Amino acid sequence: KLLSKRLIQDMSGNDDYEAAMINKLKAAQGFEYTSKLTRMVQDIALSKDINAGFKDWCASGEKSVALDFSINVLATGIWPLSKALTPFTLPPALVEPVALFKAFYAHKYSGRKLTYLHNLCKAEVLVRYAMKGRLRVTTN
């Protein structure tokens, strides 16, 4: 569960270190013990590729996203995650980027269904008054 949080929140020090640790566990405990861990690391790598494809798709179609926006696409049943119990309304600034991502994903991967886990969101807010720097905000 801690690995999943580190991967989702992009707080892992280095993906190679995570993979090395999983390989050590695989050698000690066997393939079955680490298969889900390996798949989680692969999902994050695949999500980075999907987000790069999304940015290229937006640029080729002359669509623009005003935010630095990315989504992790994770396989169902692999991650120890659950839906939030409280409702979540997307902020107006995210409605258009999410709709564009849905269109991109439906175009590229027809037949797959996206389910959003907004309780695992994060945002970085650039602060320009009182203090300078970035403020990382998570919903969990």
Side-chain angles (χ1 to χ4, degrees):
K1 194 165 185 163
L2 294 175
L3 173 65
S4 67
K5 279 193 171 193
R6 281 196 311 271
L7 292 174
I8 289 172
Q9 297 296 332
D10 196 23
M11 298 186 73
S12 176
N14 186 332
D15 292 341
D16 294 334
Y17 291 144
E18 299 287 4
M21 182 54 73
I22 292 170
N23 286 333
K24 287 180 182 180
L25 283 171
K26 189 184 298 183
Q29 299 293 325
F31 175 76
E32 288 296 319
Y33 183 77
T34 59
S35 63
K36 286 187 178 184
L37 302 176
T38 303
R39 182 60 198 263
M40 287 193 292
V41 172
Q42 289 172 347
D43 279 356
I44 295 298
L46 181 62
S47 291
K48 290 177 182 175
D49 293 341
I50 290 172
N51 282 299
F54 172 63
K55 288 179 181 174
D56 292 342
W57 181 78
C58 286
S60 69
E62 298 180 13
K63 299 169 185 77
S64 65
V65 177
L67 306 168
D68 184 11
F69 175 79
S70 65
I71 290 182
N72 287 329
V73 179
L74 311 174
T76 304
I78 302 296
W79 295 78
L81 308 173
S82 59
K83 281 190 162 189
L85 301 175
T86 56
F88 181 83
T89 304
L90 277 176
L94 288 177
V95 172
E96 183 181 349
V98 168
L100 279 173
F101 188 83
K102 278 183 183 178
F104 160 76
Y105 196 80
H107 174 74
K108 186 162 179 148
Y109 303 101
S110 62
R112 292 189 185 176
K113 179 185 173 196
L114 289 173
T115 303
Y116 293 93
L117 299 175
H118 296 295
N119 57 317
L120 299 172
C121 294
K122 74 174 183 179
E124 286 190 16
V125 180
L126 184 60
V127 179
R128 294 189 179 171
Y129 64 92
M131 64 178 206
K132 294 195 183 234
R134 292 181 183 261
L135 176 65
R136 180 174 277 193
V137 181
T138 62
T139 58
N140 54 353

